[in-house]
């Protein structure tokens, strides 16, 4: 029957970009990180603040205790993180929703004063696979406008809220001219993500390198409160494996999560141990994108 899909699906899955992935599988680049470093580490932060509960729906707008938990991000988490990076003389990338920027402009100011990059993270952290294309466009446009209204440079990098993407979102990323994205997981190295005639320079993430699955908890859904040492050991093991392969390791953290006392101590230890190896280049996401793009985009091909 026309329009039906196989087995339980109501529509045919889109064909895979077979030639693209087969070409990529034939060989990866020699990254040659700056200053002879052996691994590139991007330790990034999503400053969701109250947008995290707002993304769940109207019923959370008046959930004051839930909101206060999320607000910890900008009250305590970000200041601790900024001090830690200042101590090491490092710069990183903070992905900031527009609503957060509008309501906490002093936090944006502090991030910029530290020399850090601000990336685009929507407006109120809307889950795009549950939103219309018009709503997705509004998330991007209001996010830009909000960041620019508080003095942030126009972001060139995008990370999708809620860990999901759609074909419509990908098209909007191209339309609005983002240099890089950090929302996909097809590889654990920088690569070119491709769907049809749209591709994007991808700096990938993964749930296992995100603090939320380890510590995310609320009264409605429950969650996890793992020992922070388990999180740090897993992240360190990833660093060691990335070091062996001389690739990039991209960590994703949330200030309201990793900025809590005992967890922050393990963040301090993780970053300190990475720095102490003297093997890691620790750039902003834009610096990483600028370094890897020439190796990923050759004339007429996405193969390095």
């Amino acid at each position: 029957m026309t329009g039906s899909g196989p087995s339980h699906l109501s529509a045919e899955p889109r064909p895979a970009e077979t030639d693209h992935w087969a070409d990529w599988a034939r060989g990866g680049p020699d990254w040659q990180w700056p200053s002879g470093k052996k691994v590139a580490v991007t330790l990034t932060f999503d400053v969701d603040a109250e947008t995290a509960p707002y993304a769940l729906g109207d019923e959370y707008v008046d959930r004051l205790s839930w909101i206060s938990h999320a607000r910890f991000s900008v009250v305590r988490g970000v200041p601790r993180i900024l001090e830690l990076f200042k101590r090491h003389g490092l710069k990183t990338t903070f992905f900031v929703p527009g609503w957060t920027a509008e309501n906490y402009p002093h936090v944006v100011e502090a991030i910029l004063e530290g020399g850090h990059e601000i990336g685009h993270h929507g407006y109120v952290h809307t889950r795009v696979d549950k939103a219309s294309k018009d709503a997705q466009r509004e998330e991007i446009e209001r996010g830009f406008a909000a960041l620019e209204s508080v003095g942030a440079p126009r972001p060139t990098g995008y990370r999708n809220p809620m860990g999901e993407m759609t074909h419509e979102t990908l098209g909007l990323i191209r339309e609005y001219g983002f240099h890089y994205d950090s929302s996909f997981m097809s590889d654990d190295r920088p690569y070119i993500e491709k769907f049809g005639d749209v591709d994007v320079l991808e700096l990938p993430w993964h749930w296992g390198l995100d603090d939320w699955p380890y510590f995310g908890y609320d009264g409605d859904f429950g969650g996890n409160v793992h020992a922070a040492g388990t999180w740090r050991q897993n992240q360190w093991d990833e660093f060691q494996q990335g070091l062996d392969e001389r690739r990039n390791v991209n960590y994703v953290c949330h200030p309201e999560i990793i900025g809590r006392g005992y967890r922050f101590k393990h963040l301090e230890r993780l970053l300190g141990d990475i720095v102490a190896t003297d093997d890691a280049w620790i750039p902003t996401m834009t610096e990483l994108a600028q370094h890897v793009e020439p190796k990923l985009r050759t004339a007429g091909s996405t193969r390095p």
Side-chain angles (χ1 to χ4, degrees):
M1 182 174 64
T2 303
S4 63
S7 185
H8 65 287
L9 299 176
S10 60
E12 284 284 343
R14 295 172 185 257
E17 300 295 333
T18 306
D19 291 344
H20 171 75
W21 299 116
D23 193 31
W24 173 245
R26 281 191 278 269
D30 178 1
W31 299 112
Q32 297 180 359
W33 303 118
S35 303
K37 300 298 184 180
K38 299 176 182 177
V39 63
V41 174
T42 40
L43 182 54
T44 63
F45 299 90
D46 295 358
V47 190
D48 301 336
E50 289 97 316
T51 68
Y54 295 162
L56 299 176
D58 291 345
E59 63 270 29
Y60 286 84
V61 171
D62 291 324
R63 297 284 296 275
L64 300 189
S65 291
W66 217 114
I67 289 170
S68 72
H69 160 70
R71 189 184 299 119
F72 187 92
S73 168
V74 291
V75 175
R76 290 289 276 159
V78 170
R80 282 174 168 162
I81 292 162
L82 289 176
E83 191 280 328
L84 172 62
F85 274 76
K86 181 178 180 180
R87 194 187 318 157
H88 287 287
L90 297 172
K91 308 294 187 290
T92 189
T93 302
F94 293 80
F95 291 90
V96 183
W99 188 96
T100 301
E102 287 177 342
N103 286 270
Y104 302 105
H106 64 286
V107 173
V108 172
E109 181 180 345
I111 291 170
L112 294 174
E113 283 181 352
H116 304 287
E117 175 189 7
I118 290 181
H120 197 297
H121 200 45
Y123 181 71
V124 284
H125 212 268
T126 294
R127 180 170 168 171
V128 298
D129 61 314
K130 304 294 185 182
S132 67
K133 185 175 181 178
D134 287 343
Q136 294 182 54
R137 182 181 295 279
E138 181 184 22
E139 274 283 293
I140 290 177
E141 291 185 350
R142 291 188 71 179
F144 273 131
L147 290 169
E148 292 167 8
S149 75
V150 298
R154 186 176 177 89
T156 60
Y158 178 81
R159 175 174 288 157
N160 193 273
M162 304 296 282
E164 194 49 86
M165 288 283 275
T166 70
H167 287 275
E168 291 81 8
T169 322
L170 189 59
L172 290 168
I173 288 174
R174 180 173 68 173
E175 178 182 337
Y176 286 97
F178 286 102
H179 181 202
Y180 72 85
D181 174 72
S182 183
S183 308
F184 290 102
M185 298 174 273
S186 294
D187 205 320
D188 57 5
R189 304 163 295 174
Y191 69 101
I192 302 298
E193 184 69 65
K194 180 174 174 58
F195 292 90
D197 64 349
V198 180
D199 64 46
V200 62
L201 172 61
E202 182 62 28
L203 308 180
W205 75 296
H206 187 264
W207 290 109
L209 304 180
D210 188 308
D211 58 357
W212 181 262
Y214 293 87
F215 307 119
Y217 183 91
D218 68 75
D220 289 344
F221 305 111
N224 299 305
V225 185
H226 284 299
T230 300
W231 170 83
R232 182 176 58 82
Q233 185 63 56
N234 288 349
Q235 312 315 303
W236 177 251
D237 288 346
E238 183 75 16
F239 169 75
Q240 290 284 307
Q241 207 276 335
L243 183 60
D244 291 343
E245 294 187 337
R246 294 177 176 257
R247 60 176 171 87
N248 168 228
V249 177
N250 181 25
Y251 300 114
V252 177
C253 294
H254 300 79
E256 73 272 25
I257 300 294
I258 208 65
R260 291 269 173 188
Y262 72 98
R263 300 168 190 164
F264 184 73
K265 294 301 294 182
H266 284 272
L267 175 66
E268 285 184 305
R269 289 183 60 185
L270 175 66
L271 182 57
D273 289 346
I274 289 171
V275 170
T277 68
D278 200 31
D279 287 325
W281 178 45
I282 306 177
T284 66
M285 295 287 268
T286 282
E287 290 170 335
L288 177 66
Q290 290 171 342
H291 182 81
V292 302
E293 185 170 33
K295 301 172 185 295
L296 294 173
R297 294 194 185 277
T298 56
S301 173
T302 56
R303 183 183 175 188

